[in-house]
Amino acid sequence: MASKTSRDVLGRGLGVLRQAIREQPRIFVVAVVGSVLFGSMVIVSAYVVGAVVGDVVVPAIGRGEVATGTLALAAAALFGISVLRVVGIFGRRLGAGYMQYRLQAAYRRRVTRRYLDLPLSWHHRNATGTLLSNANSDVEAAWYPIAPLPFAVGTLVMLVGAIVSLFVTDWALALVGLAVFPALFALNVVYSRRMAPRQARAQRLRAEVSGIAHESFDGALVVKTMGREAQETARFAGRAGELRDALISVGRLRGVFDPLLETLPSLGTLAVLVVGAYRLRQGAVSVTELVSVAFLFTVLAFPVRAIGWVLAELPRSVAGWDRLRRVLDATGEMPYGQRVLDAATSGPATLAFADVHFSYPPAEEHQPGAQVLGEVGFTVPAGRTVALVGPTGAGKSTIASLAVRLVDPDSGAVALDGVDVRELTAASLAGTVALVAQVPFVFDDTVRANIALDRPGIDDEAVWAALRLAEADGFVSALPDGLDTMVGERGTSLSGGQRQRLTLARALAGRPRLLVLDDATSAVDPRVEAAILAGLRSSAAEPGVPAASILVVAYRRATIALADEVIYVEQGRVVARGTHTELLATVPGYADLVTAYEQAEVDRAQERPYEDEVAPLPSGLEIEVDR
């Protein structure tokens, strides 16, 4: 079984190397040519040194004088060989490094692109720490053998040349080489077999340590407020300790095999001297040939190690490659169509759900998925505001995700202006619809960069227009550097309501024709929220920011009352629709839910007032609240 595993790792590892060569053939050829040049000069230098010793030094000792011309010629030959060896080393290392780093960069881009193509359901099944490890340490591990690969290929050419030279010189000395070189290969194979499971385990533990660290840091608020610092530290320390032990096991194995790999060529040199001395007495070889062969064994010790380096890194490479392929071969991406909506000439978009069913995939394979939505059908008419109301778990956020095509329905259709969203191009969909999620995400950058996102046509004037519509221009103006203020990682320098208004301004800056708000103003003062929604409803809200249709997941009574129509959902189905007043009078479940939300809002305001400043309602706007 161990032998089979070793052959499997060797075969798959060589497959990874073949993939690398196919992707970077020209650079690989440059590196191999440099390596072959170096190896050839190693063999030539051995015979030049032998000639210098046998034909220059020994005769000079016998005569008691040195021929200056001959010595200068020998020095020139050695210098020329050294220059060519340097050129070979430069070409080999430059080509290998360039090839390795290009492959790493290319596969980081591929993995990241694949992350963006895969649906959210796939991301929900994979820990963030594992995904970070895939894009970083797994990419590095997969292409780690590339650095010594050209050296190893050149070494193989050099070994063939060395063995041929040995047979040309003397068969007995050639037999010594035939005994030493296979022994080196056999030792490297044993080394690779024992190293494979250790490297695979270490690579897996790297991802787990990264995952625990990311989870602890990302959940720092929960960890600190729940007093879990010691437990999280212990959890991380335990897994980090396992990684430490795994890496020590790798190092211990290297500590055993490295001396053996260093010793074998030295033993070969000793055997050559012993056998060579015997053959010298027989007159079968000359001093020049004996010195050349002994020197050749000495200088071959280091290049031969390159083959061992490649074989030793193959298990780690296979482990990293397998983890990369799991991402690159993952299925479930949502292909886009070819149709385009004309956002320049059209007004607010019409959103329509038609008999939509949706189920999230199971956590484990071969298990049925849980149905979230069934027979959902409603319309958000152009320029109108529709509130989506329902108890927790009713499917409101799933409806919002379907509206912006973060997921696709199992059956039925979601359409914009009568066109199924699955038929639209990615650019057309992104230019038509904007989602402001329940949990705001802010990049560690300036206010301007967070809103503009390097999108063409969004200058400072457009940024300020979006900020005014999101009722965020006041606090942004008060920031130390205005639009140039750094907001910190995830917007840590801002309050929750400020972050929500910043993300709302980001969505508005893109001038969407449909705006989907998934409880996007829950941390905002109710009066500010009312002012925002009232501004969004007005067709003349802000010059340069066209009016949009709005689908809002709402909880507050005041917010719901602003909607033209309310869709009430329970257990993934639309059970009632109408105005806020109509549903209060006719749907007991809706009335109970809204009343409960309102009481919870009052209690929250009494216990913890909102951090955001209170903005006055627009002139002439009055909200009728049913008691």
Side-chain angles (χ1 to χ4, degrees), residues 26-50:
R26 295 181 181 178
I27 301 175
F28 180 71
V29 168
V30 170
V32 169
V33 168
S35 181
V36 170
L37 176 61
F38 170 80
S40 300
M41 291 303 101
V42 167
I43 297 174
V44 171
S45 66
Y47 284 92
V48 170
V49 168

Side-chain angles (χ1 to χ4, degrees), residues 536-600:
L536 293 176
R537 293 184 65 195
S538 174
S539 60
E542 180 68 43
V545 182
S549 307
I550 301 173
L551 175 64
V552 54
V553 176
Y555 294 90
R556 295 170 176 166
R557 182 187 289 242
T559 304
I560 299 169
L562 286 170
D564 299 300
E565 184 181 23
V566 178
I567 305 295
Y568 180 58
V569 294
E570 285 185 353
Q571 297 181 350
R573 297 177 182 272
V574 176
V575 297
R577 68 183 66 191
T579 65
H580 170 60
T581 303
E582 291 171 348
L583 294 186
L584 275 178
T586 59
V587 182
Y590 174 81
D592 292 342
L593 182 66
V594 172
T595 302
Y597 282 148
E598 184 179 28
Q599 185 58 49

Side-chain angles (χ1 to χ4, degrees), residues 129-278:
T130 299
L131 302 185
L132 291 174
S133 179
N134 291 149
N136 187 28
S137 63
D138 289 335
V139 169
E140 292 181 355
W143 305 121
Y144 203 82
I146 299 303
L149 177 61
F151 196 9
V153 174
T155 298
L156 287 174
V157 175
M158 182 176 61
L159 287 178
V160 173
I163 292 176
V164 171
S165 299
L166 288 176
F167 273 105
V168 171
T169 301
D170 183 65
W171 65 268
L173 297 179
L175 291 178
V176 175
L178 289 178
V180 172
F181 295 146
L184 281 172
F185 280 113
L187 188 60
N188 276 307
V189 169
V190 174
Y191 179 38
S192 177
R193 179 186 303 175
R194 293 180 178 272
M195 182 64 76
R198 290 172 170 83
Q199 289 281 26
R201 182 168 182 266
Q203 199 65 20
R204 175 179 56 82
L205 287 171
R206 283 188 179 97
E208 293 181 6
V209 168
S210 177
I212 293 175
H214 180 273
E215 191 175 56
S216 297
F217 302 153
D218 207 35
L221 180 63
V222 175
V223 172
K224 295 187 74 64
T225 56
M226 300 298 292
R228 300 289 300 175
E229 294 94 333
Q231 289 81 358
E232 283 299 303
T233 300
R235 185 165 74 105
F236 179 82
R239 198 53 53 89
E242 291 183 39
L243 176 59
R244 174 204 61 206
D245 294 340
L247 293 176
I248 288 175
S249 177
V250 169
R252 185 181 295 116
L253 188 63
R254 281 181 172 168
V256 171
F257 276 87
D258 280 356
L260 294 176
L261 293 171
E262 290 283 357
T263 301
L264 268 179
S266 300
L267 292 177
T269 303
L270 181 60
V272 163
L273 292 175
V274 172
V275 175
Y278 176 74

Side-chain angles (χ1 to χ4, degrees), residues 437-491:
Q438 189 173 17
V439 179
F441 180 83
V442 180
F443 294 96
D444 185 9
D445 209 328
T446 64
V447 173
R448 177 188 291 103
N450 267 284
I451 296 176
L453 293 180
D454 289 329
R455 290 173 288 183
I458 302 181
D459 53 15
D460 282 4
E461 183 179 351
V463 168
W464 281 114
L467 286 170
R468 283 191 292 271
L469 194 55
E471 295 289 326
D473 57 316
F475 82 79
V476 171
S477 299
L479 293 174
D481 298 312
L483 292 179
D484 294 315
T485 302
M486 297 292 295
V487 298
E489 186 177 2
R490 294 181 177 268

Side-chain angles (χ1 to χ4, degrees), residues 337-346 416-417 419-429 431-432 513:
Q338 300 298 320
R339 299 191 61 177
V340 177
L341 297 177
D342 188 357
T345 58
S346 303
L416 286 170
D417 290 343
V419 179
D420 193 315
V421 294
R422 288 169 289 198
E423 299 178 12
L424 296 175
T425 65
S428 181
L429 182 63
T432 304
R513 299 172 53 221

